[in-house]
Amino acid sequence: MEWIVLAAALVLFYLLKMRGAKGVSNITAAELENRLNDRNAFFLDVRTNGEFKGRHIRGFKNIPLGSDFSKLPHDKEIIVICQSGMRSQTACKQLKKLGYANVTNVRGGMNSWRG
């Protein structure tokens, strides 16, 4: 019986962790491809410098997760990517807490990028 409660708690924790932050939009990598020339967006890659140097999308600025995001433009949509979508989701939550109104996460991150 205890293992059922533990398993249920783990599933609930995982589902809550995967749930998007309130007020954060999500787009796919395919949708991102259509947005790359959007001058009203700031493109943020929150992976490590090494990951970014290895492979990145032109137009994205590399500011690793854990950095100070408070200097990003407030008048643009912030589109955030990482390797899988987990760190970018965390960064989106941080941006919302800092008062950024228009924040978008790229679901699947670089793992889903084919461009």
Side-chain angles (χ1 to χ4, degrees):
M1 182 65 144
E2 291 176 6
W3 66 270
I4 292 173
V5 173
L6 180 59
L10 288 173
V11 168
L12 181 61
F13 174 77
Y14 179 76
L15 290 174
L16 290 173
K17 187 77 171 161
M18 290 300 296
R19 186 184 70 190
K22 186 175 181 178
V24 173
S25 301
N26 286 282
I27 60 173
T28 64
E31 292 170 314
L32 171 63
E33 196 162 2
N34 296 324
R35 303 281 315 275
L36 288 176
N37 294 320
D38 185 349
R39 295 195 181 277
N40 293 315
F42 180 89
F43 298 96
L44 174 64
D45 188 323
V46 296
R47 296 176 302 149
T48 65
N49 294 328
E51 289 173 303
F52 185 80
K53 287 177 185 172
R55 178 175 179 239
H56 65 272
I57 302 169
R58 186 182 323 174
F60 273 80
K61 178 145 174 78
N62 182 225
I63 304 174
L65 185 63
S67 300
D68 179 13
F69 295 141
S70 66
K71 304 276 192 273
L72 299 179
H74 279 81
D75 61 338
K76 294 186 176 197
E77 175 183 11
I78 309 292
I79 299 178
V80 188
I81 197 167
C82 68
Q83 190 62 41
S84 69
M86 295 299 291
R87 284 178 283 177
S88 57
Q89 187 66 255
T90 299
C92 288
K93 289 176 185 178
Q94 291 175 359
L95 289 164
K96 292 301 286 184
K97 285 180 182 176
L98 288 170
Y100 288 87
N102 198 358
V103 180
T104 301
N105 180 50
V106 180
R107 259 183 286 138
M110 291 298 291
N111 290 340
S112 62
W113 178 253
R114 304 283 182 239

PDB file of all heavy atoms in Angstrom, residues 25-51:
ATOM      1  N   SER A  25       3.352  31.154 -22.657  1.00  0.00           N
ATOM      2  CA  SER A  25       2.918  30.478 -23.884  1.00  0.00           C
ATOM      3  C   SER A  25       3.930  29.407 -24.248  1.00  0.00           C
ATOM      4  O   SER A  25       5.083  29.460 -23.833  1.00  0.00           O
ATOM      5  CB  SER A  25       2.821  31.481 -25.043  1.00  0.00           C
ATOM      6  OG  SER A  25       1.923  32.512 -24.734  1.00  0.00           O
ATOM      7  N   ASN A  26       3.490  28.458 -25.039  1.00  0.00           N
ATOM      8  CA  ASN A  26       4.380  27.415 -25.544  1.00  0.00           C
ATOM      9  C   ASN A  26       4.247  27.332 -27.044  1.00  0.00           C
ATOM     10  O   ASN A  26       3.139  27.455 -27.579  1.00  0.00           O
ATOM     11  CB  ASN A  26       4.018  26.053 -24.928  1.00  0.00           C
ATOM     12  CG  ASN A  26       4.435  25.949 -23.489  1.00  0.00           C
ATOM     13  OD1 ASN A  26       5.596  25.738 -23.196  1.00  0.00           O
ATOM     14  ND2 ASN A  26       3.495  26.120 -22.572  1.00  0.00           N
ATOM     15  N   ILE A  27       5.374  27.151 -27.721  1.00  0.00           N
ATOM     16  CA  ILE A  27       5.366  26.927 -29.158  1.00  0.00           C
ATOM     17  C   ILE A  27       6.238  25.718 -29.464  1.00  0.00           C
ATOM     18  O   ILE A  27       7.089  25.335 -28.665  1.00  0.00           O
ATOM     19  CB  ILE A  27       5.862  28.159 -29.955  1.00  0.00           C
ATOM     20  CG1 ILE A  27       7.304  28.536 -29.581  1.00  0.00           C
ATOM     21  CG2 ILE A  27       4.911  29.328 -29.803  1.00  0.00           C
ATOM     22  CD1 ILE A  27       7.901  29.633 -30.451  1.00  0.00           C
ATOM     23  N   THR A  28       6.024  25.141 -30.620  1.00  0.00           N
ATOM     24  CA  THR A  28       6.848  24.028 -31.077  1.00  0.00           C
ATOM     25  C   THR A  28       8.048  24.583 -31.833  1.00  0.00           C
ATOM     26  O   THR A  28       8.082  25.763 -32.198  1.00  0.00           O
ATOM     27  CB  THR A  28       6.051  23.105 -32.008  1.00  0.00           C
ATOM     28  OG1 THR A  28       5.706  23.847 -33.194  1.00  0.00           O
ATOM     29  CG2 THR A  28       4.793  22.570 -31.327  1.00  0.00           C
ATOM     30  N   ALA A  29       9.001  23.720 -32.108  1.00  0.00           N
ATOM     31  CA  ALA A  29      10.167  24.128 -32.900  1.00  0.00           C
ATOM     32  C   ALA A  29       9.733  24.555 -34.301  1.00  0.00           C
ATOM     33  O   ALA A  29      10.294  25.495 -34.865  1.00  0.00           O
ATOM     34  CB  ALA A  29      11.177  22.993 -32.964  1.00  0.00           C
ATOM     35  N   ALA A  30       8.728  23.889 -34.849  1.00  0.00           N
ATOM     36  CA  ALA A  30       8.221  24.264 -36.181  1.00  0.00           C
ATOM     37  C   ALA A  30       7.622  25.664 -36.147  1.00  0.00           C
ATOM     38  O   ALA A  30       7.827  26.467 -37.076  1.00  0.00           O
ATOM     39  CB  ALA A  30       7.197  23.245 -36.656  1.00  0.00           C
ATOM     40  N   GLU A  31       6.895  25.985 -35.079  1.00  0.00           N
ATOM     41  CA  GLU A  31       6.323  27.331 -34.942  1.00  0.00           C
ATOM     42  C   GLU A  31       7.432  28.360 -34.747  1.00  0.00           C
ATOM     43  O   GLU A  31       7.339  29.484 -35.255  1.00  0.00           O
ATOM     44  CB  GLU A  31       5.341  27.370 -33.780  1.00  0.00           C
ATOM     45  CG  GLU A  31       4.081  26.563 -34.033  1.00  0.00           C
ATOM     46  CD  GLU A  31       3.218  26.391 -32.795  1.00  0.00           C
ATOM     47  OE1 GLU A  31       3.768  26.066 -31.719  1.00  0.00           O
ATOM     48  OE2 GLU A  31       1.999  26.586 -32.919  1.00  0.00           O
ATOM     49  N   LEU A  32       8.481  27.980 -34.040  1.00  0.00           N
ATOM     50  CA  LEU A  32       9.616  28.880 -33.834  1.00  0.00           C
ATOM     51  C   LEU A  32      10.228  29.277 -35.169  1.00  0.00           C
ATOM     52  O   LEU A  32      10.577  30.439 -35.376  1.00  0.00           O
ATOM     53  CB  LEU A  32      10.678  28.225 -32.950  1.00  0.00           C
ATOM     54  CG  LEU A  32      12.012  28.975 -32.835  1.00  0.00           C
ATOM     55  CD1 LEU A  32      11.819  30.335 -32.184  1.00  0.00           C
ATOM     56  CD2 LEU A  32      13.015  28.144 -32.065  1.00  0.00           C
ATOM     57  N   GLU A  33      10.352  28.333 -36.062  1.00  0.00           N
ATOM     58  CA  GLU A  33      10.965  28.608 -37.367  1.00  0.00           C
ATOM     59  C   GLU A  33      10.256  29.758 -38.082  1.00  0.00           C
ATOM     60  O   GLU A  33      10.891  30.571 -38.746  1.00  0.00           O
ATOM     61  CB  GLU A  33      10.957  27.349 -38.224  1.00  0.00           C
ATOM     62  CG  GLU A  33      11.895  27.435 -39.386  1.00  0.00           C
ATOM     63  CD  GLU A  33      12.225  26.083 -39.976  1.00  0.00           C
ATOM     64  OE1 GLU A  33      11.689  25.059 -39.504  1.00  0.00           O
ATOM     65  OE2 GLU A  33      13.026  26.064 -40.923  1.00  0.00           O
ATOM     66  N   ASN A  34       8.943  29.850 -37.911  1.00  0.00           N
ATOM     67  CA  ASN A  34       8.174  30.930 -38.539  1.00  0.00           C
ATOM     68  C   ASN A  34       8.296  32.255 -37.797  1.00  0.00           C
ATOM     69  O   ASN A  34       7.857  33.286 -38.301  1.00  0.00           O
ATOM     70  CB  ASN A  34       6.690  30.541 -38.615  1.00  0.00           C
ATOM     71  CG  ASN A  34       6.469  29.355 -39.506  1.00  0.00           C
ATOM     72  OD1 ASN A  34       7.135  29.188 -40.522  1.00  0.00           O
ATOM     73  ND2 ASN A  34       5.546  28.493 -39.112  1.00  0.00           N
ATOM     74  N   ARG A  35       8.882  32.236 -36.610  1.00  0.00           N
ATOM     75  CA  ARG A  35       8.977  33.438 -35.786  1.00  0.00           C
ATOM     76  C   ARG A  35      10.368  34.061 -35.762  1.00  0.00           C
ATOM     77  O   ARG A  35      10.554  35.138 -35.197  1.00  0.00           O
ATOM     78  CB  ARG A  35       8.599  33.090 -34.332  1.00  0.00           C
ATOM     79  CG  ARG A  35       7.236  32.476 -34.103  1.00  0.00           C
ATOM     80  CD  ARG A  35       6.109  33.496 -34.114  1.00  0.00           C
ATOM     81  NE  ARG A  35       6.373  34.696 -33.368  1.00  0.00           N
ATOM     82  CZ  ARG A  35       6.175  34.854 -32.056  1.00  0.00           C
ATOM     83  NH1 ARG A  35       5.709  33.874 -31.335  1.00  0.00           N
ATOM     84  NH2 ARG A  35       6.436  36.004 -31.477  1.00  0.00           N
ATOM     85  N   LEU A  36      11.357  33.410 -36.347  1.00  0.00           N
ATOM     86  CA  LEU A  36      12.747  33.841 -36.189  1.00  0.00           C
ATOM     87  C   LEU A  36      13.048  35.244 -36.715  1.00  0.00           C
ATOM     88  O   LEU A  36      14.024  35.851 -36.289  1.00  0.00           O
ATOM     89  CB  LEU A  36      13.693  32.829 -36.837  1.00  0.00           C
ATOM     90  CG  LEU A  36      13.809  31.511 -36.080  1.00  0.00           C
ATOM     91  CD1 LEU A  36      14.691  30.533 -36.853  1.00  0.00           C
ATOM     92  CD2 LEU A  36      14.358  31.737 -34.681  1.00  0.00           C
ATOM     93  N   ASN A  37      12.249  35.767 -37.616  1.00  0.00           N
ATOM     94  CA  ASN A  37      12.477  37.115 -38.137  1.00  0.00           C
ATOM     95  C   ASN A  37      11.615  38.161 -37.451  1.00  0.00           C
ATOM     96  O   ASN A  37      11.559  39.303 -37.896  1.00  0.00           O
ATOM     97  CB  ASN A  37      12.241  37.139 -39.645  1.00  0.00           C
ATOM     98  CG  ASN A  37      13.268  36.311 -40.379  1.00  0.00           C
ATOM     99  OD1 ASN A  37      14.446  36.332 -40.034  1.00  0.00           O
ATOM    100  ND2 ASN A  37      12.833  35.549 -41.360  1.00  0.00           N
ATOM    101  N   ASP A  38      10.957  37.782 -36.365  1.00  0.00           N
ATOM    102  CA  ASP A  38      10.073  38.681 -35.631  1.00  0.00           C
ATOM    103  C   ASP A  38      10.904  39.712 -34.869  1.00  0.00           C
ATOM    104  O   ASP A  38      11.616  39.380 -33.925  1.00  0.00           O
ATOM    105  CB  ASP A  38       9.205  37.869 -34.670  1.00  0.00           C
ATOM    106  CG  ASP A  38       8.164  38.698 -33.956  1.00  0.00           C
ATOM    107  OD1 ASP A  38       8.220  39.945 -34.021  1.00  0.00           O
ATOM    108  OD2 ASP A  38       7.283  38.096 -33.321  1.00  0.00           O
ATOM    109  N   ARG A  39      10.798  40.952 -35.267  1.00  0.00           N
ATOM    110  CA  ARG A  39      11.573  42.016 -34.625  1.00  0.00           C
ATOM    111  C   ARG A  39      10.990  42.427 -33.267  1.00  0.00           C
ATOM    112  O   ARG A  39      11.614  43.181 -32.528  1.00  0.00           O
ATOM    113  CB  ARG A  39      11.671  43.227 -35.541  1.00  0.00           C
ATOM    114  CG  ARG A  39      12.454  42.927 -36.810  1.00  0.00           C
ATOM    115  CD  ARG A  39      12.846  44.215 -37.501  1.00  0.00           C
ATOM    116  NE  ARG A  39      13.569  43.961 -38.727  1.00  0.00           N
ATOM    117  CZ  ARG A  39      14.870  43.716 -38.792  1.00  0.00           C
ATOM    118  NH1 ARG A  39      15.575  43.655 -37.702  1.00  0.00           N
ATOM    119  NH2 ARG A  39      15.454  43.520 -39.962  1.00  0.00           N
ATOM    120  N   ASN A  40       9.795  41.936 -32.972  1.00  0.00           N
ATOM    121  CA  ASN A  40       9.171  42.236 -31.687  1.00  0.00           C
ATOM    122  C   ASN A  40       9.438  41.149 -30.654  1.00  0.00           C
ATOM    123  O   ASN A  40       8.742  41.076 -29.637  1.00  0.00           O
ATOM    124  CB  ASN A  40       7.660  42.427 -31.864  1.00  0.00           C
ATOM    125  CG  ASN A  40       7.349  43.659 -32.681  1.00  0.00           C
ATOM    126  OD1 ASN A  40       7.938  44.714 -32.463  1.00  0.00           O
ATOM    127  ND2 ASN A  40       6.457  43.525 -33.641  1.00  0.00           N
ATOM    128  N   ALA A  41      10.428  40.307 -30.925  1.00  0.00           N
ATOM    129  CA  ALA A  41      10.763  39.220 -30.008  1.00  0.00           C
ATOM    130  C   ALA A  41      12.255  39.263 -29.680  1.00  0.00           C
ATOM    131  O   ALA A  41      13.081  39.665 -30.502  1.00  0.00           O
ATOM    132  CB  ALA A  41      10.398  37.873 -30.617  1.00  0.00           C
ATOM    133  N   PHE A  42      12.566  38.845 -28.465  1.00  0.00           N
ATOM    134  CA  PHE A  42      13.945  38.671 -28.019  1.00  0.00           C
ATOM    135  C   PHE A  42      14.135  37.172 -27.840  1.00  0.00           C
ATOM    136  O   PHE A  42      13.369  36.523 -27.109  1.00  0.00           O
ATOM    137  CB  PHE A  42      14.183  39.409 -26.702  1.00  0.00           C
ATOM    138  CG  PHE A  42      15.583  39.280 -26.186  1.00  0.00           C
ATOM    139  CD1 PHE A  42      16.561  40.183 -26.568  1.00  0.00           C
ATOM    140  CD2 PHE A  42      15.935  38.252 -25.312  1.00  0.00           C
ATOM    141  CE1 PHE A  42      17.864  40.076 -26.091  1.00  0.00           C
ATOM    142  CE2 PHE A  42      17.228  38.133 -24.836  1.00  0.00           C
ATOM    143  CZ  PHE A  42      18.198  39.043 -25.231  1.00  0.00           C
ATOM    144  N   PHE A  43      15.143  36.604 -28.487  1.00  0.00           N
ATOM    145  CA  PHE A  43      15.363  35.165 -28.483  1.00  0.00           C
ATOM    146  C   PHE A  43      16.462  34.816 -27.480  1.00  0.00           C
ATOM    147  O   PHE A  43      17.597  35.256 -27.617  1.00  0.00           O
ATOM    148  CB  PHE A  43      15.721  34.690 -29.894  1.00  0.00           C
ATOM    149  CG  PHE A  43      14.611  34.954 -30.873  1.00  0.00           C
ATOM    150  CD1 PHE A  43      14.620  36.093 -31.667  1.00  0.00           C
ATOM    151  CD2 PHE A  43      13.548  34.075 -30.982  1.00  0.00           C
ATOM    152  CE1 PHE A  43      13.594  36.340 -32.574  1.00  0.00           C
ATOM    153  CE2 PHE A  43      12.522  34.309 -31.877  1.00  0.00           C
ATOM    154  CZ  PHE A  43      12.541  35.447 -32.668  1.00  0.00           C
ATOM    155  N   LEU A  44      16.103  34.004 -26.482  1.00  0.00           N
ATOM    156  CA  LEU A  44      16.970  33.704 -25.351  1.00  0.00           C
ATOM    157  C   LEU A  44      17.251  32.206 -25.273  1.00  0.00           C
ATOM    158  O   LEU A  44      16.330  31.398 -25.198  1.00  0.00           O
ATOM    159  CB  LEU A  44      16.288  34.173 -24.060  1.00  0.00           C
ATOM    160  CG  LEU A  44      16.955  33.832 -22.736  1.00  0.00           C
ATOM    161  CD1 LEU A  44      18.319  34.511 -22.625  1.00  0.00           C
ATOM    162  CD2 LEU A  44      16.051  34.243 -21.576  1.00  0.00           C
ATOM    163  N   ASP A  45      18.522  31.843 -25.281  1.00  0.00           N
ATOM    164  CA  ASP A  45      18.963  30.457 -25.120  1.00  0.00           C
ATOM    165  C   ASP A  45      19.586  30.347 -23.733  1.00  0.00           C
ATOM    166  O   ASP A  45      20.570  31.006 -23.447  1.00  0.00           O
ATOM    167  CB  ASP A  45      19.988  30.115 -26.205  1.00  0.00           C
ATOM    168  CG  ASP A  45      20.375  28.649 -26.243  1.00  0.00           C
ATOM    169  OD1 ASP A  45      20.480  28.033 -25.160  1.00  0.00           O
ATOM    170  OD2 ASP A  45      20.596  28.132 -27.348  1.00  0.00           O
ATOM    171  N   VAL A  46      18.997  29.506 -22.871  1.00  0.00           N
ATOM    172  CA  VAL A  46      19.442  29.434 -21.483  1.00  0.00           C
ATOM    173  C   VAL A  46      20.361  28.235 -21.205  1.00  0.00           C
ATOM    174  O   VAL A  46      20.631  27.904 -20.061  1.00  0.00           O
ATOM    175  CB  VAL A  46      18.244  29.426 -20.495  1.00  0.00           C
ATOM    176  CG1 VAL A  46      17.485  30.729 -20.593  1.00  0.00           C
ATOM    177  CG2 VAL A  46      17.336  28.227 -20.725  1.00  0.00           C
ATOM    178  N   ARG A  47      20.874  27.602 -22.261  1.00  0.00           N
ATOM    179  CA  ARG A  47      21.810  26.491 -22.081  1.00  0.00           C
ATOM    180  C   ARG A  47      23.175  27.021 -21.653  1.00  0.00           C
ATOM    181  O   ARG A  47      23.431  28.219 -21.671  1.00  0.00           O
ATOM    182  CB  ARG A  47      21.943  25.695 -23.384  1.00  0.00           C
ATOM    183  CG  ARG A  47      20.639  25.026 -23.798  1.00  0.00           C
ATOM    184  CD  ARG A  47      20.753  24.326 -25.130  1.00  0.00           C
ATOM    185  NE  ARG A  47      21.154  25.286 -26.158  1.00  0.00           N
ATOM    186  CZ  ARG A  47      21.890  24.972 -27.227  1.00  0.00           C
ATOM    187  NH1 ARG A  47      22.327  23.746 -27.411  1.00  0.00           N
ATOM    188  NH2 ARG A  47      22.193  25.889 -28.111  1.00  0.00           N
ATOM    189  N   THR A  48      24.073  26.116 -21.313  1.00  0.00           N
ATOM    190  CA  THR A  48      25.428  26.523 -20.938  1.00  0.00           C
ATOM    191  C   THR A  48      26.149  27.101 -22.152  1.00  0.00           C
ATOM    192  O   THR A  48      25.756  26.860 -23.302  1.00  0.00           O
ATOM    193  CB  THR A  48      26.242  25.331 -20.412  1.00  0.00           C
ATOM    194  OG1 THR A  48      26.432  24.394 -21.481  1.00  0.00           O
ATOM    195  CG2 THR A  48      25.560  24.668 -19.223  1.00  0.00           C
ATOM    196  N   ASN A  49      27.226  27.835 -21.890  1.00  0.00           N
ATOM    197  CA  ASN A  49      28.015  28.401 -22.992  1.00  0.00           C
ATOM    198  C   ASN A  49      28.538  27.306 -23.912  1.00  0.00           C
ATOM    199  O   ASN A  49      28.558  27.469 -25.132  1.00  0.00           O
ATOM    200  CB  ASN A  49      29.179  29.223 -22.435  1.00  0.00           C
ATOM    201  CG  ASN A  49      28.706  30.457 -21.698  1.00  0.00           C
ATOM    202  OD1 ASN A  49      27.687  31.043 -22.021  1.00  0.00           O
ATOM    203  ND2 ASN A  49      29.453  30.856 -20.690  1.00  0.00           N
ATOM    204  N   GLY A  50      28.973  26.191 -23.333  1.00  0.00           N
ATOM    205  CA  GLY A  50      29.484  25.080 -24.133  1.00  0.00           C
ATOM    206  C   GLY A  50      28.430  24.477 -25.037  1.00  0.00           C
ATOM    207  O   GLY A  50      28.697  24.169 -26.205  1.00  0.00           O
ATOM    208  N   GLU A  51      27.222  24.282 -24.507  1.00  0.00           N
ATOM    209  CA  GLU A  51      26.129  23.754 -25.328  1.00  0.00           C
ATOM    210  C   GLU A  51      25.823  24.718 -26.472  1.00  0.00           C
ATOM    211  O   GLU A  51      25.608  24.303 -27.611  1.00  0.00           O
ATOM    212  CB  GLU A  51      24.867  23.553 -24.488  1.00  0.00           C
ATOM    213  CG  GLU A  51      24.929  22.413 -23.513  1.00  0.00           C
ATOM    214  CD  GLU A  51      23.719  22.392 -22.604  1.00  0.00           C
ATOM    215  OE1 GLU A  51      23.460  23.399 -21.906  1.00  0.00           O
ATOM    216  OE2 GLU A  51      23.039  21.355 -22.600  1.00  0.00           O
TER     217      GLU A  51
END
